[in-house]
Amino acid sequence: MEPTHLFELVIAMFLAIIALQYAAHRLGLPPSVALLTGGALLAFVPGLPAISVDPELVLVIFLPPLLMDGAWSIALSRLRRHMIGIASLAVGAVFFTCIVVAVVAHLIFPSLPWGACAALGAIVAPPDAVSARAVLERVRLPRRLQILLEGESLLNDASGLVLFRFAVAAAATGAFSAGEAVGSFFVLALGGAVVGIAVGLAWVKLIRHLGDDYLIIAATVLLGWISYLLGELLHVSGVIATVSTGLIASWHQHTVFSAATRMRGTSFWTVMIFLMEAAVFTLIGLSLRDVVERGGGFTTVIATMGLPMLAIIVALVAARFAWVFASDLVMRSCAALGFTRARPLGAGGATVLSWAGVRGVVTLALALSLPEGFPGRDFILATSFAVILGTVLVQGTTLGRVIAWVRLAPETERARLTMSQAEAAMAQVQFGIVQNLAYDAEGKLIHPQLLERYQRRATAIVDYAERTEHYVPLLHAHFDVVLEAVATGRRELIRLHRAGDIDDETLDELERDLDLEELSAISAKA
C-alpha cells in the first residue's frame, strides 16, 4: 500500500470513529461495542484493503500511553490500601485462569501440546486495561470495586506477558519450569518498578527546569513511551515500568505543573487518549477479516471451532468466578477469625468483579505475535478473537444490569473532610496570609478591598460548609445567573470583534477570561 493511501485510510478510520462514537451515544451503547462492531463490519467492505496488524507495533504505540493514563488517574492512597486484593487479581487470577484454560484446551484437543495450551491460557487470561476503562466509564461502582478493577487492569498485563513468553518457549523446547516462571516474573516486575521510579523522578527534575508549558506537555506525553521502551531495552517489565512512572508523575504533577500547563495538557491528553482508545477497538474489529480468512471463512470457522471456542469462553469466565469467590471466602474466614482489615466483598460485589473481566488489545496482540507454524495457531487466533468479541459484546453491555441486579451495598468508605469542609480550610488559610500581607511594615492597611474580599469569602464558605443543604438551591440559582452573564458577555465580545472594534489579541485574552469564569461556574454547580 502506498504511503498516501495508508494515510487516507487512517484519516477515514478516525472519521469512522467519530461517526461510531456518535451512534453509540445516540443509541445508548457502550462506545467499545459500537467501535468493535463497526470495525468488524468495515473489514468486509468490498474494495477495502485487508488490515494486517503488527502486534509488536500495536503494543508499543497504544499500550504505554493508555497505561500511563490509567496510572495518572488512579487514587494512589486507595491503590496502596487495596494492593493485596489487586495483586490477587493481577497475579493469582491470571495464573489460575491460564491453568484452567490450558487444561480445558488440552481436554478438547489432546494432540495439542501443553505448551500451546498454556500459550492460549496466557493470551486470554489477563483482562485488558483499555477494555476495562471503556466499560467502567459507563457504570457506577463502589470505590473499592472501582480501584480493584483499575489496579488489576494496570498490573495484570505483566503477568500475562511473562506466562506467554514461557509458554511459547515451552512449546518450542518441550520443557517448562513453574518455579523459573514465578522467579522470572518477580525479577521482571521488580526491575520494571525500579526503571519506572527512576524515569518518573528524572521527569520531575526535568519539569522543574523546562519553564515552558508546551515543552512540559510534550515531555509528559512522551513519558509513557520512554519508560516502556527503556524497560523492554533492559529486559524488565515495560508494563510495570510505565505504571510506576505514571504513579510517580501523578503524585508530583500537583506541585510541578502550573494552572495553565494543567489546563492545556489535560485538554490535549484527553483528546489523544480518546482517539487512541477508539483506534484500538476499531483495529481489533478490522483485524477480524484476516482471522476469518486464515480459518477458511465464517462457515468453516463456526463449524470446526465454534463449540471449542465456546467451551474456552465458558472456562475463562468460570475460572474468574471461582477465583474471586474463593478469595472472598478466604477474606470472610479471616474476618470471622478477628482480622479487622479483612473486608469481604460479599456475593454482590464478587459477582460484579467476576463479570467485569473484559479482554482486548493485549489478547489480540499476543495472539497475532505467535510465530508461523506454532501448534494450533489458527485455533488460538480464532479463539482469542472470539474471547474479545464475547467479553466486550456480552459482559461489556450487561455489566450495568448486573450491578443493578445484585444491588450493591452503599459505599461506607468516607473521607475525613467533605469537599465543602476542605474548601473552608483553604479559604481560612488564604484569608490568614492576605491578612498578614494587607499591611505594610508600619502597620498601615494598604490592601483594604483585598482583605475585605478574602474575609467575606472565608466567612461565606465556612457558613456554607456548616449548612450545605440550605445553600445548594441558592448556589445553583446564583451560578445560573453567572453562566447567563458569561454567555451575554461572550456574544457582545464576538459582536465587537466582527464589527472590527477590537483585534484578535483582545478577543483571545477576553475570551480566555470568560472561559475560565464559565468553567469555574460549571464546576461550582456540579
Side-chain angles (χ1 to χ4, degrees), residues 463-464 466-475:
D463 188 42
Y464 175 82
E466 294 173 350
R467 297 193 299 158
T468 302
E469 294 181 0
H470 170 73
Y471 281 110
V472 165
L474 300 175
L475 187 72

Side-chain angles (χ1 to χ4, degrees), residues 433-474:
I433 192 65
V434 170
Q435 191 174 31
N436 290 335
L437 299 176
Y439 298 87
D440 62 13
E442 299 177 355
K444 181 181 178 182
L445 181 62
I446 56 176
H447 299 298
Q449 293 180 336
L450 200 59
L451 180 62
E452 182 184 357
R453 170 187 162 192
Y454 273 87
Q455 184 177 23
R456 185 169 62 248
R457 181 170 177 266
T459 302
I461 291 179
V462 170
D463 188 42
Y464 175 82
E466 294 173 350
R467 297 193 299 158
T468 302
E469 294 181 0
H470 170 73
Y471 281 110
V472 165
L474 300 175

Side-chain angles (χ1 to χ4, degrees), residues 67 70 74 79 82-83 85-87 89-90 129 132 136 144-157 243:
L67 286 173
I74 202 167
L79 184 68
H82 299 294
M83 184 51 71
I86 291 170
L89 293 169
L136 294 177
R144 186 183 178 194
L145 286 181
Q146 187 89 16
I147 201 70
L148 286 173
L149 288 170
E150 289 178 354
E152 176 198 16
S153 68
L154 286 176
L155 301 176
N156 61 11
D157 290 337
V243 172

Side-chain angles (χ1 to χ4, degrees), residues 164 168 171-172 294 366-378:
F164 174 74
V168 172
R294 288 185 61 89
L366 292 180
L368 291 172
S369 69
L370 286 171
E372 292 290 340
F374 189 84
R377 185 177 190 272
D378 290 343

Side-chain angles (χ1 to χ4, degrees), residues 139-329:
V139 297
R140 292 180 62 86
L141 284 174
R143 287 180 179 176
R144 186 183 178 194
L145 286 181
Q146 187 89 16
I147 201 70
L148 286 173
L149 288 170
E150 289 178 354
E152 176 198 16
S153 68
L154 286 176
L155 301 176
N156 61 11
D157 290 337
S159 307
L161 287 168
V162 170
L163 283 174
F164 174 74
R165 288 168 183 168
F166 272 89
V168 172
T173 63
F176 177 77
S177 171
E180 186 180 352
V182 173
S184 176
F185 170 75
F186 283 107
V187 170
L188 292 174
L190 181 60
V194 171
V195 170
I197 293 171
V199 172
L201 294 177
W203 171 84
V204 172
K205 289 185 176 297
L206 175 66
I207 294 304
R208 294 186 190 278
H209 292 89
L210 284 179
D212 181 271
D213 289 348
Y214 298 106
L215 290 178
I216 292 172
I217 293 170
T220 305
V221 168
L222 296 175
L223 188 59
W225 282 298
I226 292 171
S227 186
Y228 183 87
L229 292 172
L230 183 59
E232 293 296 311
L233 181 66
L234 297 176
H235 303 292
V236 297
S237 174
V239 172
I240 299 297
T242 306
V243 172
S244 300
T245 298
L247 293 173
I248 293 290
S250 173
W251 181 260
H252 288 280
Q253 58 100 3
H254 304 288
T255 57
V256 298
F257 280 176
S258 66
T261 302
R262 189 174 295 107
M263 288 186 65
R264 291 168 178 166
T266 300
S267 300
F268 174 80
W269 184 260
T270 301
V271 174
M272 187 186 83
I273 293 299
F274 159 72
L275 290 175
M276 296 193 82
E277 285 185 347
V280 165
F281 285 107
T282 307
L283 285 173
I284 291 174
L286 289 171
S287 65
L288 175 62
R289 178 174 170 179
D290 181 59
V291 174
V292 171
E293 288 177 350
R294 288 185 61 89
F298 270 116
T299 304
T300 303
V301 170
I302 297 300
T304 59
M305 304 181 189
L307 288 177
M309 289 190 299
L310 180 61
I312 295 296
I313 295 174
V314 171
L316 186 75
V317 176
R320 184 172 176 87
F321 268 87
W323 181 269
V324 171
F325 273 86
S327 300
D328 196 56
L329 180 61

